[in-house]
Amino acid sequence: MVLQLFITGISMGMLYALMAMGLILIVKAVGVLNFAHGQLFMLGAYITWSLTNQLKLPLWAMIIAMIVCFCIVGLSFMFTVYWPLRNSPWKVTVVISTLGASIALKEAVRLIWSFIPLLSKPLIDKVIRIGDAVMNVQYIFIIIISGALMLFVYFLFEKTFIGKIMQATAQNRYAAELIGIPSVVAIAGTYMISMCMSGVGGWLAAPLFLVSQSLGTFAQKAFAGIVVGGFGSIKGAVVGCVLVGLIESFSILITDAYKDAVVFGVLILVLIIRPTGIFGEKIEEKA
Amino acid sequence: MKKIMILLLTLLMVFSFTGCNRNGDKPGEDEPIKIGLTDAFTGDRAGNGQYTKEGVDMFLEYINGKGGVLGREVVVVYEDDQGNETAAVNAYQKLILENEDLTAVVLNKYSSVVLAMEPYVADSKIPAICSGSNVKIEQSTNPYLYSTRRSDYGSGATMAAFIKQEGAKRVAILYSPDALGKGMSEIVIAKLQEAGIEVVSSQQFSEGEKQFANYVAKIKESNPDFIVCIGQTSETGLIVKAIYDAGLNHIKCIGNSAFAQATTIEQAGLEASEGWYSITAFAAGTEEEPTASWIRSYTEKYGHAPEMTSVTTYDALSMICYAIEKANSTDPEAVNAELKKILNFEGIAAVYSYNGNPMLANSEFVIQIQNGKAIVLTKVIG
C-alpha cells in the first residue's frame, strides 16, 4: 500500500507542478497571481477533447492545432483580463479580474460543451502493476511530458536571453521599455507559453479525471505547492508540488476524509516556520 | 420639509408591505399557473440542474400540449441554488419574494441543500417537493415538505439485506462526505452489524475527490468480499474505474442510485461497470411501462439517457398538477391538502403515496449492470 501511496503522490505532484509552472510564468512576467489558471487548465482539456473527438484530428495534427489554439487563448486572456488593467494603481485589480475570468470561463465552457462530463481517451489505455500497486500508463506520460516542459521553462528563464527579457519586464516594465525591450511582446509570449502549459496539463489529466468543469480545482494544490516551494521559484514550485502530492497521498494513513485539511495544515505550518518557502531565500538573493 | 419626508417614507413603507402581501392580489383566471423550481444551474453541480430542466421541459410540453391544468397554461419559474446551502436559502427566498402567486415549488435532490431550505419552506406555507432521501427529510415534521424518494433508511436497509442475501462476510464501505454518504453509510453499517457481517473498512472520501486509487488500495488491504460505495454522479464513474484498475472487479460491488445512472456507466466504461449492483429509485434499463416509453421519448428528444433527477422532477410536477386539478384551485393550502391525499399515484419512476411523512415513494429497484444496461433484479416495496 505504501508503494501505491508513493506512486499516486508523485503522479499527482507532477500534475500539480505542471499547473504551477504556468502560474509561475505569469507571476514572473507581470507579478500577478492568476486565479483563473485552474479554469485555463480545464479549458485546455475541453479544447483538446474537441480537436480529437469532434474534428477527429490525428495526434500530430491535434498537437499542432492544440498549440495554436492555446496561443490564441493565451493572447485573448492577456488582452482582456490583464492588459486593460495593467496601469491600475492597485495591483489587486488584476487579481480580481482573474477571479472574474475564472467564473466566466467556467460558465462559458458549460454553455459551449454542455454539462455532462466528457470522456477523453488516454494515449495508451493500460494499467501497469508494480507489486501490489497499480499505475495508469497515462501518469507516465504526465511525468515525462511535465518533466520536459519544466526543463524547458527552467532553461527559458534561467539560461536564455528571451527569458532574461521576460524577467526584466516583470521586475520593472518601465525600465525595460526604456532600454528597448518591447514589454507587450514579452508579456504576450509569457501568456502564450503559460496557457500552453496549462492546456497540455488539461489534455494529459482529462483521460484520468474526465473532461469536466471541476478539473480546475487542481489549481488549489498547485497554489499550495508554489507557496511551500517558495513563491516565484521554478525549482521550488516543482519540489513544493511533489511534496504536496506526497503529503496528500500519505495523509490517507491518518485521515481519509480530511486529507485536504492536512495539506493546507502543512502549508500553514511551512508559512509559520519558513515564510519564504523552501527555496524562498535564494530567490530573494537573486532579486 | 422634514414632516413631508416622514409622510412620504411612511406611505412608501405602507405600499411596500401591501405589495408583499401574498393574499393581496389574486392571479387572474387566464393567467398561467406558476410553479417555482430551485436547482443548481451554475457551479460544479450545474449538470444536475440541466437534467432537471430537461425533465421540466418534457413535462411542460406534455401538460400544456393537452390544454394545461384547469384550462390554464403551466409555467415553471427557475432560481439557481448553485447546489450549495447558502445560495439555496437565498435562491428560495428570492423565488418566493419575486413570485407572489406561486402554487408550489420543486426543490433539488441534494438533501443537505433541501434541509437548509426546509425552515423557509415552512414559513412560506407553499408545498415543496424535493428529491432528497436523507433520514432527516423523512423525520421532518414540516407539513409542506415532500420528497419523490424513499428514505436512505429504507435504501440502506435494502442494501444491507441484499449483501446478506449474497452471503457476504467482510464488507468494505467508501462513501461521500455529504448528507447522502454520511446518512446512508451509517444505516448500512448498523444493519450489516445487526446481521453479524463484519465491516472491515469504512472510509469517507474528501469533498470534490477525483483520485480514488489510494482509497481503493486501503479497501484492497482490508481484503473484503463485498464493496459498498455511496456517492454522487460527479464521482461514481471514477470510483468504479479505480476499483477496476486495482483489479478488484472479481469482488461484488454495490452502490446507491448514482451507480445505476447512464453517465456513471459511460464514464467508467462497460468492462469496469459490468456486474455492479445498485439500489435505485429509477432504473433506466427497466422494461416496465410507462417508464420504458418515457425513457425512449426522452432519449430521442435530448440525445442522451435521463438521470434520476429528470424523472423525479417530472413526477413532482405531475403530482403538483394532479393536486391542483383535484383541489380545483391554485391556492397553496388547498394544493397541499390534496398532496396529503395522494394514494397510489403512478409516476414514471415510482408509485407514490402519502403515508404521514414526506417520503412519497415506497418502492425501489435492485439492479445489476449487464452489458452497460441497468437490469432490474427485484423491485422492493415498502
Side-chain angles (χ1 to χ4, degrees):
Chain A
M1 182 167 157
V2 171
L3 183 62
Q4 179 66 64
L5 299 184
F6 183 75
I7 288 173
T8 309
I10 295 284
S11 310
M12 293 305 291
M14 287 301 276
L15 192 63
Y16 300 150
L18 189 57
M19 287 189 95
M21 287 297 99
L23 270 166
I24 295 277
L25 282 178
I26 300 296
V27 171
K28 278 178 170 278
V30 292
V32 166
L33 201 53
N34 177 15
F35 280 101
H37 200 71
Q39 280 61 45
L40 292 174
F41 180 86
M42 166 201 73
L43 185 62
Y46 275 99
I47 289 173
T48 49
W49 181 88
S50 279
L51 294 173
T52 311
N53 296 284
Q54 290 179 312
L55 299 181
K56 310 244 181 251
L57 296 180
L59 186 64
W60 65 269
M62 194 282 287
I63 291 173
I64 295 169
M66 170 177 87
I67 291 167
V68 172
C69 288
F70 292 166
C71 288
I72 295 168
V73 171
L75 274 180
S76 315
F77 186 83
M78 173 201 154
F79 281 113
T80 50
V81 178
Y82 165 72
W83 198 251
L85 302 166
R86 68 192 185 284
N87 294 325
S88 166
W90 297 326
K91 237 181 178 178
V92 76
T93 318
V94 183
V95 177
I96 301 297
S97 172
T98 66
L99 271 172
S102 73
I103 298 165
L105 278 171
K106 210 170 170 180
E107 297 306 328
V109 160
R110 196 172 62 80
L111 287 173
I112 298 167
W113 283 278
S114 181
F115 58 94
I116 302 172
L118 304 166
L119 279 177
S120 176
K121 282 193 177 160
L123 291 169
I124 297 174
D125 194 4
K126 267 197 165 175
V127 169
I128 51 168
R129 296 183 194 282
I130 311 158
D132 244 11
V134 289
M135 186 185 195
N136 197 306
V137 174
Q138 186 71 11
Y139 278 121
I140 296 172
F141 284 110
I142 289 178
I143 292 170
I144 293 169
I145 297 172
S146 302
L149 286 172
M150 284 167 209
L151 277 176
F152 165 74
V153 170
Y154 179 75
F155 279 105
L156 179 75
F157 272 87
E158 305 294 326
K159 310 286 178 195
T160 68
F161 183 66
I162 299 169
K164 297 271 188 286
I165 286 176
M166 287 174 175
Q167 290 207 50
T169 312
Q171 281 169 17
N172 192 330
R173 203 174 71 226
Y174 180 66
E177 278 172 358
L178 279 180
I179 58 165
I181 293 173
S183 65
V184 62
V185 177
I187 293 170
T190 314
Y191 267 94
M192 286 193 283
I193 296 168
S194 169
M195 177 57 214
C196 284
M197 299 206 68
S198 315
V200 169
W203 168 51
L204 292 170
L208 296 165
F209 308 112
L210 304 172
V211 184
S212 73
Q213 280 119 61
S214 59
L215 265 183
T217 54
F218 286 134
Q220 292 168 3
K221 306 285 167 59
F223 283 129
I226 289 171
V227 175
V228 169
F231 203 80
S233 160
I234 290 175
K235 272 187 287 186
V238 177
V239 174
C241 285
V242 171
L243 265 177
V244 163
L246 286 169
I247 293 164
E248 184 187 24
S249 191
F250 278 89
S251 66
I252 202 169
L253 295 173
I254 310 162
T255 170
D256 36 58
Y258 305 106
K259 62 192 183 92
D260 286 353
V262 174
V263 171
F264 290 99
V266 169
L267 175 74
I268 293 167
L269 215 65
V270 168
L271 288 174
I272 292 169
I273 299 166
R274 198 176 163 86
T276 52
I278 299 167
F279 290 89
E281 232 171 50
K282 201 176 169 189
I283 294 301
E284 277 180 7
E285 279 165 18
K286 281 182 79 173
Chain B
M1 185 66 188
K2 201 174 170 185
K3 279 180 184 171
I4 293 168
M5 282 301 286
I6 290 169
L7 185 70
L8 279 171
L9 283 170
T10 312
L11 281 170
L12 190 69
M13 278 175 73
V14 168
F15 283 120
S16 304
F17 282 122
T18 313
C20 290
N21 184 2
R22 174 166 297 282
N23 302 317
D25 300 316
K26 293 274 181 203
E29 288 299 302
D30 53 346
E31 279 181 27
I33 295 171
K34 270 192 194 175
I35 299 170
L37 187 145
T38 70
D39 208 322
F41 297 109
T42 58
D44 291 339
R45 287 172 162 175
N48 193 69
Q50 193 59 40
Y51 276 113
T52 297
K53 201 169 179 300
E54 288 174 357
V56 172
D57 290 343
M58 282 273 286
F59 178 77
L60 292 182
E61 205 173 278
Y62 160 74
I63 200 83
N64 291 327
K66 64 169 203 166
V69 179
L70 305 179
R72 290 161 65 184
E73 187 193 1
V74 178
V75 294
V76 169
V77 187
Y78 295 99
E79 202 57 61
D80 180 14
D81 67 23
Q82 296 170 34
N84 77 63
E85 292 81 354
T86 316
V89 167
N90 293 335
Y92 185 82
Q93 288 177 305
K94 186 168 177 263
L95 185 76
I96 299 299
L97 285 172
E98 287 183 357
N99 301 281
E100 292 170 24
D101 47 353
L102 285 181
T103 299
V105 179
V106 177
L107 307 177
N108 70 20
K109 69 169 185 179
Y110 301 107
S111 296
S112 51
V113 175
V114 171
L115 288 166
M117 287 190 271
E118 195 254 334
Y120 300 91
V121 170
D123 283 349
S124 63
K125 298 190 190 315
I126 296 176
I129 307 183
C130 71
S131 301
S133 57
N134 190 268
V135 178
K136 284 181 185 163
I137 295 176
E138 185 184 26
Q139 291 165 347
S140 168
T141 52
N142 182 341
Y144 298 94
L145 185 68
Y146 305 89
S147 173
T148 53
R149 303 279 301 281
R150 194 177 176 225
S151 89
D152 288 343
Y153 188 85
S155 307
T158 305
M159 195 180 267
F162 181 76
I163 293 166
K164 189 185 173 195
Q165 182 195 309
E166 290 293 303
K169 298 271 180 271
R170 297 167 60 82
V171 177
I173 299 182
L174 180 65
Y175 60 93
S176 54
D178 52 13
L180 165 81
K182 286 179 185 173
M184 198 165 171
S185 63
E186 262 178 40
I187 296 151
V188 175
I189 291 169
K191 291 282 174 190
L192 287 175
Q193 285 169 343
E194 257 177 45
I197 297 166
E198 190 186 355
V199 177
V200 291
S201 161
S202 170
Q203 296 179 85
Q204 178 192 315
F205 55 80
S206 297
E207 182 91 41
E209 187 60 83
K210 290 193 172 293
Q211 172 57 273
F212 290 94
N214 292 348
Y215 297 102
V216 174
K218 229 172 157 181
I219 289 177
K220 196 175 182 178
E221 207 175 53
S222 67
N223 192 27
D225 57 12
F226 217 113
I227 301 170
V228 174
C229 298
I230 300 160
Q232 306 283 0
T233 38
S234 48
E235 59 242 358
T236 47
L238 296 173
I239 294 174
V240 174
K241 186 82 170 56
I243 289 175
Y244 177 76
D245 284 349
L248 298 184
N249 47 320
H250 62 281
I251 299 174
K252 286 179 181 172
C253 300
I254 192 166
N256 60 307
S257 57
F259 287 82
Q261 307 306 312
T263 45
T264 301
I265 299 165
E266 196 191 333
Q267 288 164 10
L270 290 185
E271 274 183 59
S273 50
E274 183 67 18
W276 267 74
Y277 297 101
S278 171
I279 308 294
T280 180
F282 167 65
T286 184
E287 303 286 317
E288 274 187 47
E289 292 296 348
T291 318
S293 304
W294 189 89
I295 293 166
R296 271 196 300 276
S297 309
Y298 184 101
T299 312
E300 273 169 28
K301 187 172 166 69
Y302 297 109
H304 56 252
E307 287 282 321
M308 188 186 71
T309 188
S310 326
V311 194
T312 50
T313 304
Y314 188 99
D315 283 351
L317 290 168
S318 298
M319 280 188 276
I320 290 167
C321 288
Y322 170 81
I324 294 170
E325 255 174 3
K326 283 280 167 194
N328 196 24
S329 163
T330 55
D331 174 53
E333 286 291 355
V335 172
N336 193 44
E338 284 303 324
L339 282 172
K340 293 207 183 303
K341 292 179 195 162
I342 289 254
L343 184 69
N344 296 327
F345 180 90
E346 286 204 23
I348 302 297
V351 175
Y352 301 94
S353 294
Y354 179 74
N355 296 307
N357 70 59
M359 316 313 280
L360 297 173
N362 63 354
S363 64
E364 260 177 332
F365 300 96
V366 179
I367 63 99
Q368 186 178 32
I369 309 296
Q370 294 173 11
N371 297 319
K373 292 232 178 250
I375 305 298
V376 176
L377 298 183
T378 48
K379 188 172 183 178
V380 183
I381 297 172

